[in-house]
């Protein structure tokens, strides 16, 4: 069974936090454990929340919905496709069919380079700051 993990940008300091998603009314929280029986959770920006896809990039970084990744398909030592893409919802079966057609062990350059929430310019070919 795949582990279900969410990530969001903290409201208080703008940093990412990972854990379990808890929503009440219009607010979203990420919960990452308990202390003395009370949940450790922090409010996150609802539009920044993304679920872990179950995929790790070439550096072992978890790939979340809304991440931006550089992907180069390499087969028999030849690079035959390279692109920068936004990682879609985990319900986007076309994306995962594409991954199946180019197995991750052949995508030696599959790497998360940012997030649409913090670096949308990367999708337009801009450089990361």
């Amino acid at each position: 069974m795949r582990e279900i993990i969410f990530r969001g940008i903290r409201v208080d300091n703008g940093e990412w936090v990972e854990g379990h998603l808890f929503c009440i009314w219009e607010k979203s929280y990420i919960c990452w454990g308990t202390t003395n029986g009370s949940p450790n959770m922090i409010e996150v920006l609802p539009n920044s929340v993304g679920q872990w896809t179950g995929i790790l990039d070439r550096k072992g970084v978890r790939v979340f919905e809304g991440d931006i990744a550089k992907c180069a398909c390499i087969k028999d030592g030849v690079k035959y496709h390279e692109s920068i893409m936004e990682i879609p919802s985990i319900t986007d079966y076309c994306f995962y069919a594409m991954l199946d057609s180019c197995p991750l062990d052949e995508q030696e350059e599959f790497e998360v380079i940012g997030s649409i929430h913090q670096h949308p310019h990367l999708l337009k070919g801009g450089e990361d700051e």
Side-chain angles (χ1 to χ4, degrees):
M1 182 186 304
R2 184 172 65 82
E3 186 175 12
I4 307 296
I5 299 172
F6 289 87
R7 176 183 73 177
I9 298 174
R10 294 172 58 144
V11 170
D12 63 348
N13 66 11
E15 294 184 9
W16 289 103
V17 63
E18 295 179 9
H20 301 284
L21 180 63
F22 174 72
C23 297
I24 186 166
W25 297 292
E26 291 91 35
K27 295 190 178 193
S28 297
Y29 300 86
I30 297 290
C31 178
W32 63 88
T34 60
T35 302
N36 297 326
S38 297
N40 297 323
M41 62 184 190
I42 193 79
E43 185 178 356
V44 295
L45 299 171
N47 67 343
S48 72
V49 173
Q51 187 174 351
W52 180 40
T53 62
I55 298 170
L56 301 175
D57 77 356
R58 71 182 181 103
K59 293 182 177 178
V61 174
R62 289 181 177 148
V63 179
F64 286 84
E65 297 170 330
D67 276 343
I68 299 171
K70 180 167 44 169
C71 174
C73 292
I74 300 169
K75 190 166 189 154
D76 299 326
V78 178
K79 186 184 296 184
Y80 63 91
H81 176 72
E82 183 173 70
S83 64
I84 292 180
M85 68 176 96
E86 176 187 344
I87 304 302
S89 164
I90 62 166
T91 60
D92 185 338
Y93 299 108
C94 292
F95 171 73
Y96 294 97
M98 181 275 298
L99 287 181
D100 287 342
S101 69
C102 182
L104 287 176
D105 62 344
E106 294 178 1
Q107 293 179 339
E108 297 174 7
E109 295 180 23
F110 186 81
E111 180 178 353
V112 173
I113 59 173
S115 163
I116 61 167
H117 306 290
Q118 295 178 316
H119 305 285
H121 62 281
L122 292 174
L123 290 173
K124 297 179 176 106
E127 294 295 319
D128 199 6
E129 300 168 6

